[in-house]
Amino acid sequence: MTRIAIILGSTRPNRNGPQVAQWVLETASRRGDAEFELIDLRDHPLPHFDEPVAPMFGPSVHAHTRAWAERIAPFDGFVFVTPEYNHSTPGVVKNAIDHLFVEWADKAVGFVSYGVDGGVRAAEFLRLVCSALRMAVVSHQVSISVLTDFENHTTFTPNDRHAATLDRTLDQVVAWSTALAPLRSAVTVA
């Protein structure tokens, strides 16, 4: 069965991301077309990118990168849950992405973003980054405002529009992940 990782991209204290990621996981888990698993970047601390060569040119020399690669490799697609910091995604997300190449390639990716303006700039930034890694970026994305979609800016209250958009996003991620399977099976990891 198709496996999709939901990657929580905030590691700061008092973050809102776990509520959003849990909502995505609970919604996704009711589907029968894929298996979904939550990955919290807080549980996978990586140093600033420290490999002597770019991931596309060879295997990692560091155990932390190899462990991260082993965690990501089994998945067929991804949904990043990301806040927006200063018109972009948090550095921890970009750093986690930069540590790998083959493990991301030929897999689908969708975005659930949150921030003052729904986190849309973080998602747009990730679209460019993921495209460069040969990921199939789906068109639908969920945008959540911390001003209107959180009670007292702390308690996430998803609405029907969010649920419908998440369903469409997951439909696309699962469909593209499944469609790209032949490309992934032709690739061997060095």
Side-chain angles (χ1 to χ4, degrees), residues 56-126:
M56 69 171 38
F57 297 123
S60 170
V61 299
H62 297 297
H64 56 261
T65 303
R66 288 192 306 274
W68 179 235
E70 288 173 12
R71 183 70 176 113
I72 292 302
F75 292 98
D76 302 301
F78 306 94
V79 175
F80 280 93
V81 176
T82 182
E84 181 176 313
Y85 295 168
N86 302 317
H87 289 211
S88 188
T89 194
V92 68
V93 175
K94 179 69 164 63
N95 190 52
I97 291 171
D98 287 346
H99 272 78
L100 307 177
F101 180 78
V102 172
E103 296 79 8
W104 302 120
D106 300 321
K107 298 179 181 181
V109 63
F111 306 106
V112 175
S113 60
Y114 60 96
V116 172
D117 294 320
V120 295
R121 289 175 293 261
E124 289 305 308
F125 174 83
L126 286 173

Side-chain angles (χ1 to χ4, degrees), residues 4-71:
I4 307 296
I6 299 163
I7 299 177
L8 172 53
S10 174
T11 58
R12 69 185 186 97
N14 303 319
R15 58 194 177 150
N16 287 327
Q19 296 173 72
V20 178
Q22 192 60 42
W23 169 72
V24 172
L25 178 62
E26 288 171 4
T27 301
S29 295
R30 290 191 290 268
R31 302 169 62 96
D33 55 355
E35 295 176 358
F36 297 88
E37 186 175 334
L38 180 61
I39 298 175
D40 187 341
L41 290 182
R42 190 183 270 182
D43 298 331
H44 301 278
L46 293 165
H48 289 292
F49 184 68
D50 61 349
E51 294 294 333
V53 298
M56 69 171 38
F57 297 123
S60 170
V61 299
H62 297 297
H64 56 261
T65 303
R66 288 192 306 274
W68 179 235
E70 288 173 12
R71 183 70 176 113

Side-chain angles (χ1 to χ4, degrees), residues 156-184:
F156 179 48
T157 55
N159 60 41
D160 291 342
R161 179 182 53 84
H162 294 124
T165 305
L166 178 58
D167 284 338
R168 287 193 298 274
T169 301
L170 294 171
D171 287 345
Q172 289 184 337
V173 170
V174 171
W176 278 96
S177 296
T178 303
L180 291 169
L183 292 177
R184 291 190 303 277

